[in-house]
Amino acid sequence: MKNITRISLAPMISGALLVLCFPTFDHNWLAFFALVPFIISICGRGKRESFIAGSLMGLPYFFGTTYWIYNSLSMYGGMNIYFSYMLVFVLSAYLSLYTGIFASLFQYLIERTSLPALFIAPLLWTIMEYLRSMALTGFPYSLMGYTQHSFTS
């Protein structure tokens, strides 16, 4: 139980902090610090543990930033609210695979290269967001850049 808590608490805190960065809550300054607990928690872990931690970070992150989907499904699609929550959870689980892959690749690259984490993390995060927005049918929502929307106006 202690091991599960150690693996899951920091990533889930990062996922919740990421939700607070987006326009609904609009604490965009948190985007610069939100991933820190997660990155610290996966340093020194194996690729499997890193993948699990990344996926656990993605669940609250994507469930909290795709709230508009279950509202749309229930209000405009006439779908049962519980079923729409379940569908959004399944979508969040799929999307969190990308953050899990990010964590595994980050851990792999940290072990294999002499490049600093401060270089690897943003580059890899951007690549994974690009793939998420293009792969299969694409899902270009909840991208980290959206947190900085107020700086463009």
Side-chain angles (χ1 to χ4, degrees):
M1 180 67 177
K2 185 177 180 183
N3 193 29
I4 292 172
T5 305
R6 191 178 78 233
I7 292 173
S8 64
L9 187 60
M12 295 192 83
I13 288 171
S14 283
L17 288 174
L18 284 171
V19 171
L20 296 175
C21 299
F22 281 84
T24 304
F25 298 101
D26 220 10
H27 296 293
N28 52 12
W29 57 272
L30 278 174
F32 298 100
F33 310 103
L35 290 175
V36 172
F38 166 65
I39 296 290
I40 290 171
S41 75
I42 63 172
C43 286
R45 305 258 177 249
K47 288 180 285 300
R48 183 175 178 270
E49 277 186 334
S50 295
F51 178 82
I52 292 168
S55 298
L56 287 172
M57 182 195 69
L59 283 174
Y61 169 37
F62 292 116
F63 194 79
T65 56
T66 56
Y67 63 91
W68 54 273
I69 296 176
Y70 50 79
N71 283 339
S72 299
L73 289 173
S74 65
M75 290 174 65
Y76 304 111
M79 188 177 288
N80 180 302
I81 188 73
Y82 300 111
F83 190 65
S84 65
Y85 277 117
M86 189 170 49
L87 281 177
V88 172
F89 182 80
V90 169
L91 175 64
S92 299
Y94 162 71
L95 294 173
S96 68
L97 294 175
Y98 288 95
T99 53
I101 293 168
F102 161 81
S104 288
L105 288 174
F106 176 79
Q107 189 59 37
Y108 176 81
L109 290 172
I110 288 295
E111 291 173 356
R112 301 279 191 286
T113 68
S114 61
L115 295 172
L118 200 54
F119 176 77
I120 293 173
L123 182 65
L124 195 56
W125 186 270
T126 304
I127 289 169
M128 293 309 298
E129 282 193 338
Y130 178 78
L131 290 175
R132 179 168 49 95
S133 67
M134 298 301 223
L136 300 174
T137 60
F139 194 79
Y141 301 96
S142 303
L143 302 176
M144 188 75 86
Y146 294 155
T147 64
Q148 304 305 305
H149 71 95
S150 63
F151 291 110
T152 60
S153 55

